[in-house]
Amino acid sequence: MKRRDFLKSTAVFVAGASVSLSALELVDPKEVLASRPELRWGFLVDTHKCVGCGMCVKACKLENDIPYDANVTRTWVERYAMMKNGEVIKDSPKGARDGFTSKLVDQGEAGTRLLRDKDIAQAFFVPKLCNHCTLPACVQVCPVGATYKTADGVVLVDRKWCIGCGYCIMGCPYGVRFFHPVVHTADKCTFCYHRISKGGNTACAQACPFGARTIGNLRDPNDPVAKAVLNERVGILRAEYGTKPNVYYIGLNKEVH
Amino acid sequence: MKGHVWRPLYVVIGIVVLLLLFRFFYVPDDFGIQKQGYTFGFHRLSNEQEWKDFPAKYKGTEYCNECHDDKVASISASQHEMIPCEDCHGPARNHPEDPEKLVVNRSRELCIRCHSKLYMPSSGRSDIPGIDPGTHNTGMECAECHNPHNPSLEDM
């Protein structure tokens, strides 16, 4: 082999090897569009504004036909109290369906405990609901294809297809799923899909007098929720699970998870 | 091949055919991998529409305002202007046809959701005027003294 040929073929080989395979892959425009749709629902909770009245929980239960007195709910509100001695106390009696009206904190089997004002360093309320994760663990574990994510980012349960195995209820890191005592399938927050897809608001956000809950389109740069998520100091719950939640919180403490 | 090989093979083929037949009739046409891919989008597509068709019960203050504009105006001028009608009056559903009349919740339990005094220093709850429901005129309904549409203490 001549030296000229050797150098030529080496140059061709090096140039060829430096192009990664992914650069040569043909991109399907449909696939690109599907991964960035025009609409992606997101939720914003401002914990400073929440006063723990629980009207959201009541509205959710009535709107979505969740048995009112059964101990299941699609959304709930937690009360957190950080005591001056470093103790963290939290409760959510009946999911806060009747609000927080007492200084007695529900401690489950340990009974109730009176919170004295002078012992409290910080106290606030945190509304919780389904995070409609971008990578939902609950959907991944469904053995029959009954739960799924829509193109606009809402996680739903097909009541005709669900066999009630309960795997998704175990799989959700946030504990937002439950077994519906009447329908006998897994159930969860739908972001009030029937309302938002007709231009309405979720029942919980509409019932909130203080605007602590808002829903919006994360893909629209002019949407108030998208703006807050982009510009303000927001947090998500249990980021370590890698589920990429779409419910964002303003004023989240590290004690809340 | 001999009979002892073919016979069980026929059984297996029969089972497979039966399963495929059952699947053909039982699984709807729109069931399969949708836009979100196999992991997150494996479902029956028409279920999305079924959820969209779920009936709404809460109609919003604008709906109430179509007939009860005087009531909406009175509360809008008061400190309670941020409270949606249906929080106290209940979901409108198909009012005025069904139900013809909405039952107003006048209980103390409703008012103290916000007005029971709690020490919540990092929450908006602290900014709301509050009472101790255990000592403040027990046994009476709040609405006997306070007008929910005009809760101002000066006008009591």
Side-chain angles (χ1 to χ4, degrees):
Chain A
M1 185 187 269
K2 283 183 191 166
R3 188 162 66 175
R4 177 184 291 262
D5 290 340
F6 173 73
L7 289 174
K8 237 188 195 170
S9 47
T10 308
V12 168
F13 177 76
V14 169
S18 61
V19 177
S20 71
L21 276 177
S22 59
L24 298 171
E25 198 186 322
L26 285 175
V27 179
D28 182 357
K30 258 196 265 173
E31 226 169 85
V32 176
L33 272 178
S35 68
R36 275 202 71 84
E38 293 289 295
L39 179 61
R40 173 60 64 99
W41 292 108
F43 204 89
L44 183 70
V45 177
D46 190 338
T47 60
H48 299 291
K49 289 180 181 166
C50 180
V51 306
C53 67
M55 293 310 304
C56 49
V57 182
K58 184 188 170 190
C60 174
K61 282 200 143 187
L62 294 176
E63 173 74 27
N64 294 298
D65 293 334
I66 308 300
Y68 200 67
D69 291 312
N71 194 19
V72 289
T73 179
R74 286 183 176 185
T75 182
W76 68 97
V77 183
E78 292 171 358
R79 160 165 60 181
Y80 279 81
M82 276 65 149
M83 311 308 279
K84 283 179 181 159
N85 63 8
E87 205 182 347
V88 180
I89 302 170
K90 65 170 183 174
D91 75 335
S92 183
K94 288 182 187 167
R97 185 198 75 187
D98 302 328
F100 291 89
T101 56
S102 168
K103 292 185 182 194
L104 292 170
V105 173
D106 179 13
Q107 295 290 281
E109 287 179 3
T112 53
R113 177 175 161 177
L114 181 72
L115 286 190
R116 290 188 303 173
D117 292 357
K118 65 182 174 67
D119 297 336
I120 297 174
Q122 277 188 51
F124 53 87
F125 301 101
V126 182
K128 295 270 181 84
L129 68 161
C130 173
N131 286 286
H132 293 273
C133 304
T134 309
L135 303 171
C138 56
V139 171
Q140 218 168 345
V141 300
C142 179
V144 295
T147 182
Y148 57 93
K149 206 166 165 58
T150 64
D152 45 8
V154 178
V155 177
L156 296 174
V157 180
D158 186 339
R159 285 181 167 177
K160 280 193 192 138
W161 221 242
C162 175
I163 57 170
C165 71
Y167 206 173
C168 57
I169 301 172
M170 292 290 129
C172 173
Y174 307 95
V176 303
R177 283 175 175 250
F178 58 91
F179 194 75
H180 195 296
V182 177
V183 186
H184 295 298
T185 65
D187 202 84
K188 65 181 284 298
C189 158
T190 60
F191 267 174
C192 281
Y193 203 50
H194 57 296
R195 300 172 64 92
I196 59 172
S197 52
K198 291 177 193 127
N201 204 347
T202 67
C204 60
Q206 187 174 296
C208 180
F210 303 96
R213 293 170 176 252
T214 36
I215 190 161
N217 179 10
L218 297 178
R219 292 275 185 263
D220 177 3
N222 296 317
D223 187 286
V225 172
K227 271 187 187 165
V229 169
L230 285 170
N231 304 326
E232 286 185 46
R233 283 163 291 164
V234 292
I236 50 169
L237 295 172
R238 301 193 183 185
E240 66 274 20
Y241 282 85
T243 51
K244 299 192 180 166
N246 286 305
V247 176
Y248 294 86
Y249 286 85
I250 297 176
L252 208 55
N253 268 38
K254 70 177 192 313
E255 288 86 351
V256 180
H257 49 77
Chain B
M1 266 193 283
K2 285 176 187 164
H4 74 277
V5 176
W6 281 113
R7 263 176 279 143
L9 205 60
Y10 285 140
V11 174
V12 170
I13 291 169
I15 291 171
V16 169
V17 169
L18 275 177
L19 274 174
L20 286 176
L21 268 175
F22 175 74
R23 195 180 177 279
F24 179 77
F25 288 108
Y26 187 72
V27 178
D29 290 341
D30 59 344
F31 188 91
I33 302 163
Q34 318 296 353
K35 272 186 188 165
Q36 296 288 307
Y38 178 71
T39 316
F40 301 120
F42 185 58
H43 68 287
R44 192 167 58 92
L45 194 61
S46 53
N47 183 243
E48 294 182 16
Q49 192 56 45
E50 286 168 24
W51 275 114
K52 284 181 187 173
D53 295 339
F54 193 85
K57 283 107 189 162
Y58 280 77
K59 304 284 180 182
T61 300
E62 302 76 33
Y63 180 77
C64 311
N65 196 36
E66 286 172 22
C67 303
H68 304 285
D69 50 338
D70 53 328
K71 298 285 183 194
V72 173
S74 77
I75 195 165
S76 299
S78 79
Q79 290 142 292
H80 274 168
E81 47 89 18
M82 78 292 271
I83 303 179
C85 308
E86 289 165 304
D87 276 14
C88 308
H89 292 264
R93 293 196 161 90
N94 294 318
H95 177 75
E97 286 84 35
D98 173 38
E100 281 182 23
K101 218 169 159 52
L102 294 180
V103 182
V104 193
N105 186 347
R106 295 180 200 276
S107 68
R108 279 171 81 86
E109 283 68 36
L110 182 82
C111 306
I112 62 170
R113 279 170 177 262
C114 294
H115 293 293
S116 167
K117 192 77 187 164
L118 294 182
Y119 182 66
M120 304 293 288
S122 14
S123 148
R125 180 68 168 251
S126 306
D127 306 330
I128 301 175
I131 50 105
D132 178 357
T135 57
H136 183 91
N137 298 322
T138 49
M140 282 172 76
E141 277 181 0
C142 310
E144 289 179 41
C145 305
H146 305 271
N147 175 3
H149 279 216
N150 183 14
S152 167
L153 293 175
E154 281 102 62
D155 297 340
M156 252 175 74

